[in-house]
Amino acid sequence: MPHLLTPPVKPFSKTKGNQYFPHGISLAESSDNIVSAAPFRGSVRMESEHAGVRRNILDYLVRHPGAKDTREGVINWWVAKPCPDERLADAVLADLVAQGWIVKRETASQAIYSLNHARVQEIKTFLASDRET
């Protein structure tokens, strides 16, 4: 069996806070002020689109607290404008469910999403601070 060579490892560069990352990786700050490693190309745009979809969903729910819908309904109504990427909307929806701001209820045919009414004040505070930045 021939010996397989692994490609050379890219050199590391020193970045903010004396942390080392491979070239091509930068520190990117998300809308939640969580610092993560993200690729240079497209990361700012992707984060901007993620934040926009998140804001649209939360704005819709604050204005329509009784809203309940399927994944397709969320994409078509809660996101409000043409969704840049349905996978992005799926990721945002999953993040909001994990955060506890949206409730996901499984039915026999599909999941139904709705506002977690116990967290509405927290969501309003987030939206107000998000608009200020």
Side-chain angles (χ1 to χ4, degrees), residues 23-81:
H23 288 298
I25 301 291
S26 69
L27 290 179
E29 196 168 349
S30 76
S31 61
D32 295 325
N33 294 325
I34 298 170
V35 176
S36 62
F40 280 131
R41 196 174 4 161
S43 66
V44 173
R45 187 174 140 244
M46 182 62 92
E47 285 184 26
S48 174
E49 288 175 351
H50 186 280
V53 169
R54 178 184 177 109
R55 189 171 29 262
N56 287 347
I57 290 172
L58 293 174
D59 276 335
Y60 184 89
L61 287 172
V62 167
R63 287 190 325 268
H64 305 93
K68 293 174 178 50
D69 222 324
T70 62
R71 173 195 173 274
E72 290 75 23
V74 169
I75 290 169
N76 292 324
W77 294 98
W78 300 6
V79 174
K81 54 185 170 185

Side-chain angles (χ1 to χ4, degrees), residues 92-119:
V92 171
L93 203 50
D95 290 348
L96 291 170
V97 168
Q99 189 171 2
W101 287 0
I102 290 181
V103 176
K104 178 181 180 181
R105 184 174 51 90
E106 294 290 342
T107 67
S109 59
Q110 56 192 323
I112 303 294
Y113 298 91
S114 61
L115 174 67
N116 181 350
H117 293 279
R119 308 282 298 272

